[in-house]
Amino acid sequence: MKNDLLGVVVTTTSAESNLLFAANTTTISASGMYEREGFRVDKNGDIKFPVVGNIKLEGLSISEAQKVLERAVDRFVKNPIVTVKYMNFRVTVIGEVNHPATFTVSNEKISILEALGMAGDMTPYGKRENVLIIRENDGQRTTTRVNLNQKDVLNSPYFYLRQNDVIYVEPDKAKAVEYSRSTRSLPVLVAVISGAAVLATALLNRL
């Protein structure tokens, strides 16, 4: 996808050729921090690769991108082996999970279950039968709901996540009831605390 950051390594029998196609893995920013570099897919769906020039990779899987790059590099060196990996593949898990966060993963194939595991799994209030997936395609956001209690979820096109997918785990009714009870009991608690404070002040004044 556009704005994906890819790590690309070209391996040949020549050390000079390997260096020719290499990109710096890190740079030092103005703040003195190390930052990762790679090849970013631009607004045209291309990356600018050393020696070769622009190569269109938008819409390809990692394995397909590797083959395209190998064919492009093969014009300059013999029998190249190209390895491609994501450097900014991110998914976000929010809602009724133990550790909601955005996670960066190096593998393009991560499932809903794996992402939930990274987030510490659902809380007891999470609705496994109604998990919301938010996905962006060509600037358009789409949403779908999946039932993790059903076996056919394994065949869902949303079971394996894509770049920037968001998983939202909705709370069940029990959480809403508990929250409502807590809210109703709050004024009583405040009154008890206030009464205790008044009593304490009266006792101190007698001393």
Side-chain angles (χ1 to χ4, degrees):
M1 297 173 61
K2 294 179 179 67
N3 292 320
D4 279 352
L5 190 63
L6 304 177
V8 181
V9 177
V10 177
T11 304
T12 70
T13 56
S14 169
E16 291 79 5
S17 297
N18 296 341
L19 183 61
L20 182 65
F21 292 103
N24 293 333
T25 55
T26 58
T27 57
I28 301 178
S29 66
S31 62
M33 298 294 291
Y34 284 94
E35 297 178 349
R36 291 187 303 176
E37 276 192 353
F39 299 96
R40 189 172 296 279
V41 181
D42 63 22
K43 62 181 180 180
N44 298 316
D46 303 338
I47 65 169
K48 293 179 173 62
F49 202 63
V51 181
V52 178
N54 289 354
I55 302 178
K56 183 167 290 294
L57 296 181
E58 183 182 13
L60 303 181
S61 67
I62 287 293
S63 59
E64 290 171 340
Q66 288 177 168
K67 292 178 181 178
V68 168
L69 284 164
E70 284 178 354
R71 288 195 296 268
V73 174
D74 190 58
R75 292 180 293 165
F76 302 93
V77 295
K78 293 182 178 180
N79 302 320
I81 298 175
V82 178
T83 303
V84 180
K85 66 177 181 179
Y86 283 107
M87 296 181 70
N88 68 336
F89 190 103
R90 296 180 297 180
V91 295
T92 300
V93 187
I94 56 176
E96 285 299 319
V97 292
N98 289 297
H99 306 295
T102 296
F103 303 96
T104 300
V105 294
S106 59
N107 191 349
E108 64 170 324
K109 198 170 185 180
I110 178 173
S111 70
I112 298 175
L113 300 180
E114 290 170 321
L116 289 172
M118 293 171 66
D121 205 356
M122 296 184 184
T123 71
Y125 299 107
K127 295 178 68 174
R128 303 187 67 86
E129 71 279 5
N130 198 24
V131 178
L132 179 67
I133 308 294
I134 304 171
R135 176 169 294 173
E136 186 171 323
N137 286 314
D138 296 326
Q140 299 294 324
R141 287 189 176 180
T142 60
T143 61
T144 191
R145 294 182 182 273
V146 297
N147 186 346
L148 298 183
N149 293 329
Q150 295 181 345
K151 292 182 179 179
D152 61 2
V153 69
L154 300 174
N155 300 319
S156 169
Y158 287 84
F159 181 72
Y160 286 104
L161 303 175
R162 295 183 184 176
Q163 167 78 297
N164 295 323
D165 275 0
V166 177
I167 302 175
Y168 172 64
V169 180
E170 188 177 338
D172 61 17
K173 292 182 180 179
K175 178 68 175 287
V177 170
E178 180 176 310
Y179 177 79
S180 177
R181 288 175 177 171
S182 299
T183 303
R184 288 198 300 268
S185 63
L186 185 59
V188 176
L189 179 61
V190 172
V192 170
I193 294 173
S194 299
V198 171
L199 179 60
T201 300
L203 292 174
L204 288 172
N205 289 334
R206 292 181 180 181
L207 297 177

